[in-house]
C-alpha cells in the first residue's frame, strides 16, 4: 500500500476543513450568505497580502491573473521591463509579447539573483519603461528576488513594479504595502493550500493610476470592474463559490496560526531540507538567494532528475517536481509550500536516500534524515 | 428549520458523488493519474457536445471562455455580428467592443426570438462580417434561439457561428457537429451540475481556420495552446484538478442516464412549470421559443419580482432568480437546469402559491401544484 504525498510547488495539499467546505452544497453567488463569506475573505486576503487595499479574486489559475496584470497596466506602444531568470520570467515576456508590448528583457542566469541596481540601470538605459515585471520567487529555480529593495528603488520613478508572488505569498515574508509593490499576483494552489482555480491581485494607489490609463483590451480580467463589484462584496461575474468557501477556511487558519508563524514554519522546513541535501553530498541548484518555498537540487552526475522524481512517486508515493524548460532532467525540486509538516520532510529525505542508493549514488541511510531531525525535532 | 433549494440558472445543485470527488485530496496536474482522468473527461465532453472534436477546458467561468471565443476568432479591423436579445447578447457586444472589433448589433426585443433569415439579411447588408455571435439560450429572457437553422444558413458563407451555450448545453438538444455550430461555449455551473469555475469550448474544422488567422491578443485563453496540450491529455497551464474530478463523475452520470433522457427530463420539468404558472393565472415572460432550461414569469401588476424572489428564499429556503438588467423587478425565473427533480418543482410552485397570496395576488392553494402532479407524476 502506498499513500500519497504532494510536495510539489503547486498544487499543494489541502487541509481537511477546506476540503469539507468545498464539498458543501453550492450556494448562489448573488446571495447574502455568499456576500458575507466574501466580506470575511476580503479581510483575510488583506491580512495575507499585508495591504490596506482590496485584493481582487479571479476564477482562473495564476497565469490568468498574470495576463490581467499586463492587460490592465499597459497600453499599445508602451514599453515594459521583464526580469527573466526562469520559466515564469519567460511567461511575463510571452504575455507582453502576445499583447504587442515592447519588451526589454533583463536576463539573469537561471539559479542566480538580480542586483536591485540592475533595474535602475535598465530604467536609465531604456527610456520610457512603464512597468517592471518580476517574480518574488522564481518557482523554476528556487531563487527569491529582492522585490523589497526594487520596490524601494522605483517607488518614486515613473514606472510601477508588478510582482508574480504566486509561489511566494504565504511561504515567505512579503509586505505588499510596506515594500511598495504596486501589483501583486497570487494563486490558490500554492501556500494558500487550495486546489487550483483561483488567482488574486492586489493593486497599490500608484498602480491604480496605471490601470486607469491602460488601453489594452480586457474583459474577464478587468481590474476596475472587479474592484467595483468587490466593494459590494461580489464578483463581477459568477464567482467560484466552492473554492471561495475553502479559501475562507484557509484564511481563518492562517489568521489563527499567525502569518509570522507560518513564514517561520516555512523557513525551518526549508533550512532542514537544504541542510539534509548538503549532508547527502548533493548540490543545491539555487546559487544565490534561495527561497523558503522549495529546495532545488542538482541531479548527481549520470542520474536523470526525472528518474529520481519518478522513483520517488512509484516506490514511495511521494510527488516532487522535476526541472522545467531547459532544466528538465537536470534538477529536482522539493516543495515545502503550504500544508506540509516536518514528518513529510523526514519522509521525502528518507525516500530520497533510498532512491539515490538505488541509482548508484551512495548515501549512508539516515544521513539526511538525521539532519532534518536535528533541525526540526528540537 | 429551512433547508436550501437552488433553482437558479447557475449555479445549480451538485450531485453528492461530484461533491465527494471534489473533496478528494488534490492530485498533481502533470501526473499520470490526472492525465487518465482528463482522457476520460475528454471523451465525456465529446459525447455531451455531440462532437468529434476535442473540447477545450478552461479554469474560468463562462465569461472567460466567451472572451476566448472573441479573441481567438477575430483580428484587428474585423467586423462581427452580435444578436442582442438579452443580457448575455449584450455581453458578446461588450467583449467585442473591448477588443476594438467593429460590432453590428442585431437587436431583438427581450423575450422575443430571432428569425434565422434575419442573419442572412444582416450578412448581406453589412459586407465582410467574419463572425456571428449568438446565445443558444438567452438566460436573461428564457428564449431559445434557432441556432440549428442559423448554422445551416451560414455553413457555406464566409462567416462562422459562435454560440454561447452556457445555460443550454445538457438542458436542451444541441448537436454541435450536426448543426454546424463552429464555436460553442459552455460552463460548469449550469446543466453540468458543478460549482462555477470551469468553462468549455468546442471548435469546428471551419472554426479552426478562423482561429489560425486570428491576430487579437490572447494568452490564458489561447485555443491553439490548449488544444495542443489537450492532445497530450493535459492543460496548457495548471488545471483546476478538483473541479475536473467532479466533472468526471457528472459526465459518467450523464452517460449512464443517456443524454436524450436528460434532455427529455428537462423538457418535462419545463412543461410542468410553465403549465402550472399559467394555471395560476400568471403570464410567461418568454413570448416565443421558450427554453427547457428555465421558466421566466412576469411579476403580477403591483408586485415587485425581487420581493417574490426574496420571500421564497426567506420563508421557504428556495432560491430562484430575479430579472437582470432592464428586467430587474419585472420578472422572476425558475430554473429547471441540471440536478433538479420533480419534487423540487412541486416545492417551488407550492411555495410560490403561498408567496403570491401573501402579496395579495389570489391563487387557490394547490392550483399550480395539481398541474405539476398531473404532468410529472403519471
Amino acid at each position: 500500500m502506498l499513500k500519497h504525498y504532494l510536495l510539489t510547488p503547486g498544487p499543494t495539499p489541502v487541509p481537511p476543513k477546506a476540503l469539507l467546505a468545498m464539498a458543501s452544497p453550492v450556494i448562489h453567488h448573488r446571495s447574502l450568505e455568499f456576500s458575507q463569506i466574501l466580506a470575511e475573505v476580503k479581510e483575510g486576503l488583506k491580512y495575507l497580502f499585508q495591504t490596506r487595499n482590496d485584493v481582487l479574486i479571479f476564477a482562473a489559475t495564476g497565469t490568468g491573473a498574470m495576463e490581467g496584470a499586463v492587460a490592465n497596466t499597459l497600453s499599445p506602444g508602451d514599453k515594459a521591463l521583464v526580469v527573466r531568470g526562469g520559466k515564469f520570467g519567460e511567461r511575463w515576456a510571452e504575455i507582453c509579447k502576445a499583447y504587442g508590448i515592447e519588451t526589454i528583457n533583463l536576463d539573469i542566469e537561471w539559479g542566480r539573483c538580480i542586483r536591485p541596481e540592475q533595474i535602475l540601470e535598465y530604467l536609465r538605459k531604456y527610456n520610457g519603461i512603464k512597468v517592471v515585471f518580476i517574480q518574488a520567487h522564481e518557482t523554476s529555480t528556487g531563487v527569491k528576488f529582492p522585490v523589497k529593495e526594487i520596490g524601494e528603488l522605483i517607488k518614486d520613478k515613473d514606472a510601477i513594479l508588478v510582482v508574480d508572488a504566486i509561489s511566494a505569498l504565504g511561504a515567505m515574508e512579503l509586505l505588499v504595502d510596506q515594500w511598495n509593490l504596486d501589483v501583486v499576483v497570487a494563486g490558490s494552489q500554492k501556500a494558500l493550500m487550495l486546489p487550483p482555480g483561483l488567482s488574486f491581485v492586489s493593486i497599490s494607489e500608484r498602480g491604480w493610476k496605471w490601470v486607469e490609463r491602460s488601453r489594452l483590451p480586457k474583459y474577464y480580467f478587468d481590474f476596475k470592474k472587479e474592484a467595483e463589484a468587490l466593494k459590494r462584496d461580489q464578483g463581477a461575474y459568477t464567482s467560484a463559490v466552492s473554492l471561495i468557501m475553502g479559501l475562507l477556511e484557509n484564511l481563518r487558519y492562517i489568521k489563527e496560526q499567525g502569518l509570522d508563524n507560518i513564514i517561520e514554519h516555512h523557513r525551518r522546513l526549508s533550512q532542514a531540507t537544504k541542510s539534509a541535501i548538503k549532508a547527502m553530498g548533493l548540490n543545491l541548484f539555487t546559487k544565490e538567494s534561495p527561497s523558503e518555498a522549495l529546495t532545488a537540487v542538482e541531479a548527481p552526475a549520470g542520474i536523470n532528475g526525472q528518474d529520481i522524481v519518478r522513483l520517488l512517486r512509484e516506490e514511495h508515493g511521494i510527488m516532487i517536481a522535476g526541472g522545467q524548460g531547459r532544466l528538465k532532467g537536470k534538477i529536482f525540486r522539493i516543495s515545502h509550500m503550504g500544508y506540509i509538516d516536518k514528518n513529510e520532510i523526514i519522509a521525502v529525505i528518507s525516500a530520497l536516500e533510498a532512491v539515490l542508493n538505488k541509482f548508484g549514488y551512495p548515501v549512508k541511510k539516515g544521513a539526511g534524515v538525521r539532519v532534518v531531525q536535528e533541525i526540526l525535532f528540537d
Side-chain angles (χ1 to χ4, degrees), chain A residues 3-310:
Chain A
K3 296 182 75 167
H4 291 281
Y5 299 84
L6 195 57
L7 287 101
T8 54
T12 62
V14 176
K17 260 195 178 177
L19 288 174
L20 288 175
M22 290 185 296
S24 305
V26 170
I27 59 173
H28 198 272
H29 58 294
R30 302 294 179 210
S31 64
L32 180 64
E33 190 184 355
F34 182 67
S35 284
Q36 285 165 344
I37 289 173
L38 211 49
E40 187 178 340
V41 159
K42 211 161 75 170
E43 289 313 304
L45 286 172
K46 284 182 182 182
Y47 173 66
L48 179 63
F49 276 72
Q50 295 283 298
T51 179
R52 282 179 312 272
N53 300 306
D54 283 353
V55 177
L56 309 183
I57 305 171
F58 292 98
T61 53
T63 304
M66 287 173 77
E67 176 166 358
V70 171
N72 281 274
T73 57
L74 291 162
S75 296
D78 274 356
K79 212 182 283 181
L81 175 62
V82 172
V83 176
R84 291 200 308 183
K87 193 190 157 181
F88 294 96
E90 289 182 348
R91 183 160 297 174
W92 277 133
E94 286 165 13
I95 299 173
C96 286
K97 198 179 154 220
Y99 278 81
I101 292 299
E102 188 186 337
T103 309
I104 316 294
N105 294 315
L106 198 171
D107 285 330
I108 306 289
E109 190 188 332
W110 288 32
R112 300 277 176 184
C113 192
I114 191 175
R115 286 175 296 104
E117 307 77 54
Q118 287 176 274
I119 299 286
L120 284 193
E121 287 161 23
Y122 270 70
L123 288 180
R124 262 183 238 122
K125 189 169 165 192
Y126 299 93
N127 220 11
I129 286 170
K130 289 283 196 309
V131 179
V132 177
F133 293 96
I134 194 169
Q135 270 62 41
H137 167 231
E138 175 53 77
T139 321
S140 62
T141 63
V143 172
K144 188 165 65 165
F145 287 129
V147 292
K148 175 186 179 181
E149 289 73 14
I150 296 169
E152 184 64 33
L153 285 177
I154 78 168
K155 72 175 185 201
D156 52 6
K157 302 285 177 295
D158 194 28
I160 56 166
L161 182 59
V162 175
V163 177
D164 160 10
I166 294 173
S167 67
L169 190 81
M172 53 194 81
E173 192 181 40
L174 195 93
L175 307 174
V176 169
D177 286 359
Q178 202 178 314
W179 292 5
N180 306 290
L181 312 181
D182 294 304
V183 176
V184 176
V185 173
S188 56
Q189 78 277 22
K190 310 282 181 178
L192 255 167
M193 311 175 288
L194 283 174
L198 292 179
S199 49
F200 309 94
V201 182
S202 72
I203 303 134
S204 71
E205 250 176 71
R206 223 160 70 91
W208 275 114
K209 286 184 201 151
W210 266 247
V211 175
E212 286 299 333
R213 65 187 181 217
S214 156
R215 285 178 300 104
L216 283 181
K218 59 227 156 217
Y219 193 85
Y220 187 70
F221 297 119
D222 188 323
F223 287 1
K224 279 199 277 186
K225 210 185 246 173
E226 279 301 332
E228 278 164 33
L230 197 57
K231 282 201 186 90
R232 305 187 306 271
D233 295 329
Q234 295 199 351
Y237 308 114
T238 309
S239 297
V241 288
S242 299
L243 285 166
I244 289 173
M245 284 164 83
L247 174 61
L248 176 66
E249 292 300 329
N250 286 355
L251 289 171
R252 282 178 179 169
Y253 173 84
I254 289 169
K255 203 158 187 186
E256 277 163 27
Q257 297 276 313
L259 195 48
D260 287 349
N261 293 326
I262 285 176
I263 303 300
E264 173 62 15
H265 171 74
H266 281 84
R267 199 194 57 72
R268 281 164 52 82
L269 296 192
S270 168
Q271 186 204 346
T273 310
K274 289 173 176 62
S275 303
I277 289 295
K278 284 189 256 179
M280 293 157 83
L282 294 169
N283 295 321
L284 296 175
F285 172 73
T286 315
K287 301 301 175 204
E288 293 168 348
S289 188
S291 90
E292 297 87 348
L294 63 82
T295 297
V297 186
E298 290 178 2
I303 306 178
N304 188 310
Q306 295 300 106
D307 291 332
I308 294 173
V309 171
R310 184 179 48 76

